[in-house]
């Protein structure tokens, strides 16, 4: 068995730590990993990509120096990252020669790092960063837990140079294969949010106290429109009036039908269990959907059991609340991942406009908890929720199986990264 196969098959932290000592001895210094991530900060799911991957890398490479090249800027998010990853330096800057020459932190990180890692996201968001790194240094780079759906000729040429490509669902691997990009360095490594390990218990417990929520006796529900209205969220945007009208019409067409199905589950939950429901957001704009689409249409006997988290929050508080709920129903993709990470059942109510990222749930054996919303009814969702309620042990076993698969995927992916570091 060769070294690479041994590492990939081992999949244990002890082996990882031992191999890190080999890397350090060979290079006579700690390996330096430069990570690019942080695409936007108006979505706790997008925010979560970054601390999730940093935790994967810190656990897999305990002796490495890790630097984060963050694309977006947000003081609350940077404060969250500094608090949870005090050893990791955060740098900013554009991927071009001018920024590189004038920004000493960026220049030092690029010159010193041994490998460049593109973080989880909806696509190869930072392709420009990868291109700049490759042209400037010629050193190894790769992609970790990213959807790759549309592959241009330029992106294909870039990906041909990658030392590893880890997609967050198997559908992307098929897209790569169709583009002629194949190899043993291509693997399924789920979205790094699956390894998110942050919390803010104080805020979560305060919210629970103020709303008379008991641990394990409430579910959370997250709304979403078919198309995110970024033109309402961003002060500066390039959306045309025609585009805005087109997507607003799509949202208006489906928002009632979609959320009526979630309301059916809310009513079923409250009337059958007597327990509470928390309406909460994954994106900033979603607090404005609570009343119209979820709360106001509810029957009068159900409303007293429904509370709203009216403030947008950070993923650490969300993780703490999710850890104390019974289950989650979400039209968004990433809060279910965060819930599963905390060992709680999570249903993904999936819009057909979502990207192929949703395939990751099927890849992990969670198809029973994915509801393609145009194909399923409120009765379907309600029945499955009550199945979970009637046999929570079975639900917990399903979560444990999925999370073991996630851990195995990360261990094998880190084995490939380690092999690149050793052999560069």
């Amino acid at each position: 068995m060769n070294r690479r196969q041994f590492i990939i098959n081992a999949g244990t932290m002890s082996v990882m730590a031992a191999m890190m000592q080999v890397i350090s001895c060979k290079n006579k210094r700690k390996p330096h990993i430069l990570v690019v991530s942080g695409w936007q900060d108006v979505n706790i799911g997008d925010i979560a990509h970054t601390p999730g991957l940093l935790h994967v890398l810190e656990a897999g490479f305990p002796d490495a120096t890790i630097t984060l090249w963050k694309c977006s800027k947000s003081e609350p998010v940077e404060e969250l990252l500094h608090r949870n990853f005090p050893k990791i330096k955060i740098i900013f800057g554009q991927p071009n020669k001018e920024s590189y020459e004038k920004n000493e932190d960026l220049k030092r990180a690029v010159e010193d790092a041994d490998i460049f890692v593109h973080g989880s996201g909806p696509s190869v968001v930072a392709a420009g960063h990868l291109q700049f790194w490759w042209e400037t240094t010629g050193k190894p780079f790769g992609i970790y837990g990213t959807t790759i759906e549309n592959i241009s000729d330029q992106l294909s040429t870039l990906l041909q140079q990658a030392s590893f490509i880890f997609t967050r669902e198997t559908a992307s691997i098929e897209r790569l294969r169709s583009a002629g990009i194949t190899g043993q360095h291509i693997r399924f490594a789920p979205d790094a949010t699956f390894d998110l390990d942050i919390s803010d218990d104080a805020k979560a417990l305060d919210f629970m106290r103020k709303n008379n929520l008991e641990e394990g006796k409430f579910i959370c529900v997250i709304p979403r429109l078919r198309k995110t209205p970024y033109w309402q969220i961003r002060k500066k945007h390039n959306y045309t009036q025609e585009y805005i009208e087109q997507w607003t019409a799509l949202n208006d067409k489906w928002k009632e039908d979609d959320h009526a199905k979630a309301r059916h589950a809310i009513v079923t939950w409250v009337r059958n269990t007597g327990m509470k429901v928390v309406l909460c957001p994954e994106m900033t704009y979603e607090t404005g959907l609570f009343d119209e689409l979820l709360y106001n249409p509810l029957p009068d006997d159900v409303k007293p059991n429904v509370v709203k988290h009216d403030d947008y929050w950070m993923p650490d508080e969300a993780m703490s609340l999710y850890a104390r709920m019974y289950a989650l129903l979400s039209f968004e993709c990433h809060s279910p991942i965060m819930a599963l990470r905390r060992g709680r059942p999570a249903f993904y109510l999936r819009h057909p406009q979502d990207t192929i990222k949703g395939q990751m749930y099927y890849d992990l054996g969670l198809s029973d908890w994915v509801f393609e919303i145009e194909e399923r009814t409120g009765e379907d969702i309600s029945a499955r929720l009550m199945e979970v309620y009637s046999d929570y042990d079975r639900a917990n076993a399903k979560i444990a199986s999925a999370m073991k698969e996630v851990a195995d995927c990360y261990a094998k992916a880190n084995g490939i990264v380690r092999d690149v570091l050793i052999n560069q």
Side-chain angles (χ1 to χ4, degrees):
M1 180 181 294
N2 61 35
R3 175 178 288 178
R4 170 175 291 186
Q5 194 61 47
F6 170 75
I7 296 170
I8 292 175
N9 288 344
T12 65
M13 289 298 112
S14 60
V15 172
M16 291 179 181
M19 294 310 299
M20 283 307 301
Q21 292 179 358
V22 173
I23 296 171
S24 297
C25 291
K26 179 175 180 177
N27 294 338
K28 305 300 182 184
R29 67 178 180 90
K30 293 181 179 180
H32 186 173
I33 302 172
L34 180 59
V35 177
V36 60
S37 189
W39 322 124
Q40 63 175 357
D41 298 320
V42 295
N43 181 328
I44 62 171
D46 282 323
I47 294 170
H49 291 316
T50 303
L53 181 58
L54 294 180
H55 188 250
V56 171
L57 295 175
E58 275 199 335
F61 302 87
D63 294 329
T65 296
I66 301 174
T67 300
L68 170 64
W69 186 353
K70 193 168 182 286
C71 293
S72 59
K73 283 191 175 183
S74 166
E75 287 187 12
V77 175
E78 276 101 64
E79 191 277 329
L80 178 149
L81 292 171
H82 284 304
R83 186 171 68 252
N84 288 279
F85 302 93
K87 296 189 298 182
I88 293 177
K89 184 174 183 179
I90 302 174
I91 62 173
F92 300 92
Q94 296 301 311
N96 56 52
K97 186 175 181 180
E98 181 181 3
S99 182
Y100 176 70
E101 292 298 334
K102 293 181 178 180
N103 187 328
E104 285 300 321
D105 286 339
L106 175 60
K107 188 173 184 179
R108 189 179 302 112
V110 169
E111 291 179 352
D112 187 67
D114 300 295
I115 194 169
F116 192 30
V117 179
H118 185 295
S120 283
S123 63
V124 188
V125 183
H129 292 67
L130 298 181
Q131 189 71 44
F132 174 78
W133 165 272
W134 178 246
E135 292 175 353
T136 302
T137 72
K139 291 185 285 189
F141 70 88
I143 294 167
Y144 209 120
T146 298
T147 291
I148 305 177
E149 190 165 3
N150 301 307
I151 305 174
S152 65
D153 291 342
Q154 183 177 5
L155 179 58
S156 177
T157 299
L158 177 64
L159 293 177
Q160 295 285 0
Q161 308 301 322
S163 295
F164 54 89
I165 302 174
F166 306 145
T167 68
R168 61 179 176 175
E169 79 298 297
T170 57
S172 287
I173 295 176
E174 292 303 316
R175 299 296 175 93
L176 290 167
R177 184 176 292 114
S178 297
I181 303 170
T182 60
Q184 294 301 310
H185 65 302
I186 299 173
R187 295 194 65 90
F188 165 49
D191 192 301
T193 304
F194 273 106
D195 209 43
L196 186 63
D197 192 34
I198 59 177
S199 59
D200 190 334
D201 291 344
K203 284 186 178 179
L205 290 171
D206 184 58
F207 175 80
M208 290 174 63
R209 178 183 58 80
K210 290 177 179 178
N211 290 280
N212 296 314
L213 296 170
E214 297 181 57
E215 184 164 343
K217 294 185 178 181
F218 63 93
I219 63 171
C220 290
V221 180
I222 298 175
R224 181 181 186 267
L225 298 176
R226 292 290 181 103
K227 282 289 184 177
T228 302
Y230 283 113
W231 53 89
Q232 297 175 4
I233 297 170
R234 295 171 178 161
K235 293 180 180 179
K236 294 182 179 180
H237 64 79
N238 297 319
Y239 298 103
T240 65
Q241 188 60 34
E242 180 182 7
Y243 179 96
I244 293 172
E245 291 175 358
Q246 176 185 356
W247 293 124
T248 299
L250 178 73
N251 288 339
D252 289 345
K253 176 182 178 180
W254 290 105
K255 63 183 182 181
E256 171 56 25
D257 285 350
D258 292 344
H259 292 85
K261 298 174 183 179
R263 293 199 305 268
H264 191 286
I266 291 173
V267 172
T268 299
W269 173 259
V270 171
R271 287 179 174 171
N272 282 274
T273 71
M275 297 185 194
K276 290 194 172 185
V277 177
V278 178
L279 310 182
C280 50
E282 184 166 308
M283 290 199 71
T284 53
Y285 81 96
E286 288 164 356
T287 57
L289 304 179
F290 292 166
D291 287 343
E292 175 191 0
L293 299 178
L294 293 176
Y295 184 79
N296 288 347
L298 290 172
D300 288 341
D301 66 303
V302 173
K303 285 181 179 178
N305 283 56
V306 179
V307 300
K308 293 172 277 189
H309 196 294
D310 282 322
D311 297 323
Y312 180 63
W313 51 355
M314 288 289 103
D316 53 352
E317 181 187 354
M319 288 289 278
S320 289
L321 188 67
Y322 295 163
R324 292 169 171 84
M325 68 183 176
Y326 193 92
L328 172 76
L329 279 66
S330 173
F331 284 97
E332 290 281 7
C333 181
H334 283 86
S335 283
I337 296 174
M338 295 160 68
L340 292 166
R341 177 73 171 101
R342 284 292 182 252
R344 295 295 182 266
F347 293 179
Y348 178 24
L349 314 182
R350 187 173 180 273
H351 292 145
Q353 286 75 22
D354 278 355
T355 69
I356 59 175
K357 65 185 178 184
Q359 177 63 37
M360 76 178 90
Y361 287 91
Y362 295 96
D363 292 331
L364 294 171
L366 296 168
S367 59
D368 286 352
W369 292 353
V370 179
F371 296 84
E372 304 293 345
I373 202 63
E374 289 186 15
E375 301 171 13
R376 309 298 292 274
T377 66
E379 288 81 0
D380 294 333
I381 300 167
S382 299
R384 192 61 46 81
L385 178 61
M386 297 317 296
E387 282 181 16
V388 168
Y389 180 69
S390 66
D391 194 347
Y392 208 53
D393 288 342
R394 182 180 179 185
N396 287 333
K398 181 188 290 288
I399 296 168
S401 176
M403 294 308 297
K404 181 181 183 302
E405 176 66 18
V406 170
D408 289 345
C409 287
Y410 288 157
K412 292 172 182 177
N414 280 349
I416 294 175
V417 176
R418 191 167 299 103
D419 198 54
V420 173
L421 283 167
I422 291 172
N423 293 297
Q424 65 172 309

